[in-house]
Amino acid sequence: MSLGMSCAISVWLLALTLVYPPPHASAAKDQDAIMADGPVSIRERKYIRNPLLQRRQFVVEVIHPGKANLSRSELAAQLSKRHKVADEKCVVLKGFRSNFGGGKSVGFACIYDSIEAVKKVEQKFTLIRQGLAEKVESSRKQIKEAKNRGKKTRGTGVRQAKHKAKRSQDS
């Protein structure tokens, strides 16, 4: 088959698809429109009551067809309502990943018994994210100088250096 013949066939096929679109094209558009308005469903798996850390922990699957994602605050509000939690700050959400193509996200949730338990267990950046702690602003240079000063002391000297630093900070 010559090059001119194959070009003519491809032009003819293109004209056919423009005149007669495939039957599934319009159905897909209608289905997307329905899914965009669809409800968001939240599933919980691997539910564990952890008494040592004073929390309930589980894997959360959020199915959100037609939506990019569900915000952490909305998800925390729905989980706190579902589990009858007094304060939304006791609900900590971590590590959410969206599936390729969207429609589903999976993450981890911890529901603490009290705010004191949250402060005792969670990391500092998580407490700042939850609004339970203030971020301490410090310059990059100060952080590096403190790190390098700490490198120079060894053994019991580290303890003495920390004590001196704390005393000078209090004064």
Side-chain angles (χ1 to χ4, degrees), residues 4 10 13 22 54 94 101 103 115 123 128 131 135 153 158 160 164-165:
S10 62
L13 286 174
Q54 301 174 354
K94 301 177 184 179
I115 291 181
Q123 295 175 330
I128 292 167
K135 186 174 183 180
T153 55
V158 173
Q160 292 170 348
K164 284 181 185 176

Side-chain angles (χ1 to χ4, degrees), residues 19-168:
V19 175
Y20 302 107
H24 56 79
S26 61
K29 288 179 185 175
D30 294 340
Q31 189 178 13
D32 288 342
I34 293 167
M35 287 172 61
D37 299 331
V40 174
S41 65
I42 300 170
R43 250 187 242 150
E44 299 165 7
R45 295 185 296 121
K46 300 182 182 178
Y47 185 91
I48 297 172
R49 173 80 183 115
N50 192 335
L52 288 174
L53 298 178
Q54 301 174 354
R55 71 183 185 192
R56 295 166 273 177
Q57 59 193 48
F58 45 89
V59 175
V60 179
E61 286 181 355
V62 183
I63 299 170
H64 44 86
K67 276 189 171 181
N69 210 340
L70 196 66
S71 72
R72 284 176 184 267
S73 57
E74 289 175 17
L75 190 56
Q78 288 189 9
L79 286 174
S80 65
K81 191 188 303 179
R82 182 184 284 189
H83 290 277
K84 298 179 179 84
V85 179
D87 194 358
E88 268 185 43
K89 291 184 178 182
C90 292
V91 179
V92 179
L93 303 168
K94 301 177 184 179
F96 272 84
R97 294 277 176 248
S98 296
N99 281 12
F100 180 74
K104 183 178 176 184
S105 299
V106 180
F108 192 71
C110 299
I111 299 177
Y112 288 90
D113 296 340
S114 64
I115 291 181
E116 291 77 34
V118 177
K119 288 181 179 179
K120 194 186 300 181
V121 175
E122 285 299 327
Q123 295 175 330
K124 193 174 180 181
F125 80 92
T126 309
L127 294 176
I128 292 167
R129 189 184 280 174
Q130 292 289 104
L132 297 172
E134 293 295 319
K135 186 174 183 180
V136 178
E137 292 295 328
S138 181
S139 73
R140 188 173 167 84
K141 188 174 181 182
Q142 283 177 332
I143 294 169
K144 288 188 172 205
E145 286 174 354
K147 177 188 66 126
N148 290 329
R149 273 196 307 272
K151 280 193 212 171
K152 291 175 185 169
T153 55
R154 285 187 60 187
T156 56
V158 173
R159 217 172 124 230
Q160 292 170 348
K162 284 183 181 175
H163 182 69
K164 284 181 185 176
K166 192 172 185 179
R167 286 190 71 190
S168 66

